[in-house]
Amino acid sequence: MILQLIPSTLRMTTPLGYAALGGIYSERSGIINIALEGMMLIGAYGYVIGAQISGSEWIGLMFGVSFGIILALIHAVATITFHAEHIVTGLAINIFAIGVTEYLIPTPDRVPGLPEVKLPLLGIYSILVILVPFIMILSHLFLYKTRWGLRLRAAGESTEALKTLSLSRAKWQYFAVIMSGVLASLGGCFLSSNVHIFTKGITAGRGYVALAAVIFGNWRPLNGVAACLLFGFAATLGLENRWGIPDQLLKTFPHILTMIVLAGLVGSSKPPNSLGKNNS
Amino acid sequence: MSKDSPNQIRQLLHSFLPSVIAIIGFFILCGVTLIIRGQNPWKFYELILISGFSSIDDIGSILFNSTPLIFTGLAVAIGYKAGLFNIGCEGQLYVGGFAATWIGLNIDLPPFILIPFCIIAAMSFGGIWGAIPGILKARYGAHEVINTIMMNFIAFAIMSYLVTSIFQEPGQMEPQTAEIHDAARLPKLAGLIPILPQSNLLNTSFLISCVVVLFLYFLLKYTRWGYELRLVGNSPEVASYGGINPGTVTIWVMTLSGAIAGLAGVADVLGYHYRFVLSFSPGWGFTGIAVALMGRNHPFGVLAAAILFGFLSKVALDVELLLDIPHGLFIAGQGLLILGLVCMEGYIRIKNQ
């Protein structure tokens, strides 16, 4: 029974996992990233555009990630250089991404998907699914076991800490936001490569679910992906319609859980100290 | 008149400067995009003037478009004044709209009782939807931005469930309820203003929105509550020293903000569709953020900005029909417009420090 749910759960988790890891980089450096949704959307869009132009899935992936980086750069320039309000900037980017992908919507021709790998017992998966645990562990090691990770987190904990070491807070924040663009757009690439087509609003709020996973996972890579796995499992149960709970209501599970955790009623979740604070 | 009033006016004009630059930039950008597409930009500018200002019918349509945006813009603005970010207007207007529908479907009373009843129901439910993040913030320190986003999704899910199951119009496939009673419908203004053509959609909800604009203006400017609200917005610490409980202010402001957003649902349900249609809002709750930003969170500024956005959405429709320019261009442009605005705002704030 449970075994049958595994393939679907992993496929539901993958796009969330990438976006959540992206969100963790950005928010650990102090930049609130509501633009995950837009970055995923533009990634899904770029994949299809690139693959249609060239016929190659790899060019598609390159396009998707480049588009994601462009949006991330816009977010970075606005929030870090121009000191704009992070939340409004993120929303503006999401609106921009919706507009661009509707305005220049690609033709509905099928594009090639990414190569697949067969895992023993578990089934056949796209390489992007297989990569998630590796990126998760690398991100954990980077953030918690290296000097650079420490500096990135210091940028998020205090507006002054890096300055006293004569290091640039802005530089680390730029790096972190670009990383979030790369990762979130990879999640988007997975979505469109999986169905071989781009449709309007293909992300369907997954960027915000990923944001919920970031909070639920207490801004840590391992916990964040674990939260995505839980949300992915809930989404799978919704598809299978077990227990007779309507799919629509089951979809609210991540959101309600996040509100409970954020209120500190169950478990605890503490954001980086200087999250959302601009440089002085 | 006091001596420094010209100075004040100059300051006020200065504070609206970024909004003006952003909107001019938006129209220039549209023109440039058209040149890239190989179309004549002058045709576009000409059409803007024709579509907006050629008849009283056009003006009525613009005001009709802007009505929900006045509500959501005010809802965001009032929160912002108190240092709260309500991005849950989209959910609040759906919940409010559904409450109004429910009353309008099940109760049949004379209009002058039924309509206020529907409006109160919508404001109450929108208010509750806003109050929950407010209480979570005041009591547990949970960030209202995340919670309002989550509440949006919960509202969408519940609405989608209700409208496709229990409340779905019998015998229909569309995700919508049956029509509300005639008595619950807001009268059109075409009946009251003779020069407005009968087909014009402008209705009494626009007048309600103007009343809310005036109400908030007086609340903010002349009452103790308005003073407390602004004080908490400027500095919760100072407010606490002054004997004001920031938590209490947070809760009532979020409730009021949600209630006003609920009225945007009323504008659609009682003023246009006469039923609850799933996803009737094309993102009014989110456009409200742009409206509040552009109107500098001032009630009259919000009114003007909402009319501007109502005008833009009419232009977008006409341009799509007549020049075959996809709607997405305007959405993308709107995103850039907000971006430009926040960047200018942030830059000015830092320069003034």
Side-chain angles (χ1 to χ4, degrees), chain B residues 139-162:
Chain B
R139 247 204 96 150
Y140 303 106
H143 205 301
E144 79 280 4
V145 167
I146 305 295
N147 280 332
T148 46
I149 292 176
M150 299 302 139
M151 291 293 282
N152 276 346
F153 283 104
I154 296 169
F156 301 155
I158 296 175
M159 294 302 121
S160 140
Y161 170 67
L162 290 176

Side-chain angles (χ1 to χ4, degrees), chain A residues 29 155 158-159 162 167-173 274 277-279:
Chain A
S29 81
S158 149
T159 52
L162 289 178
L167 292 167
S168 160
R169 184 181 187 226
K171 206 180 78 186
W172 282 105
Q173 290 184 320
S274 294
K277 291 201 184 109
N278 285 322
N279 294 339

Side-chain angles (χ1 to χ4, degrees), chain A residues 74 78 82-85 87-89 91-92 95-96 99 103 208 212 215 246 248 252 255-256 259 262-263 265 278, chain B residues 33 37 80 85 87 140 145-147 150-151 153-154 157 160-161 164 289 328 331-332 335 339 342-343 346-347 349-350:
Chain A
I74 297 176
F82 283 100
H83 305 270
E85 188 109 37
I87 293 154
V88 185
T89 308
L91 283 169
I95 294 172
F96 176 69
Y103 172 42
Y208 294 108
I215 296 161
Q248 293 116 321
T252 62
H255 309 115
I256 293 174
M259 290 179 71
L262 201 60
L265 298 179
N278 285 322
Chain B
T33 321
R37 277 171 62 101
Y80 206 88
F85 218 142
I87 35 184
Y140 303 106
V145 167
I146 305 295
N147 280 332
M150 299 302 139
M151 291 293 282
F153 283 104
I154 296 169
S160 140
Y161 170 67
T164 53
I289 296 162
I331 302 176
L339 258 175
V342 273
C343 285
Y347 185 69
R349 193 173 55 232
I350 288 300

Side-chain angles (χ1 to χ4, degrees), chain A residues 18-236:
Chain A
Y18 280 105
L21 285 171
I24 288 167
Y25 275 94
S26 166
E27 303 222 333
R28 272 289 167 197
S29 81
I31 304 290
I32 301 174
N33 198 345
I34 290 187
L36 290 175
E37 176 81 6
M39 291 171 181
M40 283 180 99
L41 188 64
I42 208 88
Y45 172 77
Y47 178 85
V48 170
I49 294 283
Q52 275 184 354
I53 291 173
S54 64
S56 151
E57 62 272 29
W58 299 110
I59 304 286
L61 205 61
M62 244 176 62
F63 265 66
V65 172
S66 320
F67 285 12
I69 291 175
I70 293 171
L71 279 201
L73 273 174
I74 297 176
H75 191 55
V77 169
T79 54
I80 303 164
T81 306
F82 283 100
H83 305 270
E85 188 109 37
H86 301 186
I87 293 154
V88 185
T89 308
L91 283 169
I93 286 174
N94 290 345
I95 294 172
F96 176 69
I98 293 170
V100 168
T101 53
E102 269 181 39
Y103 172 42
L104 301 165
I105 197 154
T107 52
D109 301 325
R110 278 174 66 88
V111 292
L114 288 162
E116 293 179 328
V117 181
K118 190 174 183 327
L119 288 185
L121 288 174
L122 296 175
I124 302 167
Y125 298 97
S126 156
I127 49 156
L128 281 182
V129 179
I130 315 284
L131 269 177
V132 174
F134 294 104
I135 296 178
M136 173 187 78
I137 290 165
L138 284 177
S139 298
H140 176 80
L141 293 177
F142 173 78
L143 284 173
Y144 289 96
K145 305 287 173 203
T146 68
R147 202 167 26 163
W148 303 297
L150 181 67
R151 286 176 186 167
L152 191 152
R153 285 185 294 127
E157 290 299 334
S158 149
T159 52
E160 297 297 325
L162 289 178
K163 205 188 267 173
T164 56
L165 299 169
S166 351
L167 292 167
S168 160
R169 184 181 187 226
K171 206 180 78 186
W172 282 105
Q173 290 184 320
Y174 262 96
F175 168 74
V177 175
I178 289 169
M179 274 307 283
S180 80
V182 171
L183 290 170
S185 57
L186 276 176
C189 288
F190 172 76
L191 282 175
S192 56
S193 72
N194 205 27
V195 291
H196 306 279
I197 196 172
F198 178 83
T199 45
K200 204 169 119 178
I202 189 170
T203 44
R206 282 188 182 83
Y208 294 108
V209 176
L211 198 67
V214 171
I215 296 161
F216 190 48
N218 208 0
W219 287 267
R220 298 172 77 99
L222 305 182
N223 307 18
V225 174
C228 292
L229 205 57
L230 181 67
F231 295 168
F233 183 64
T236 304

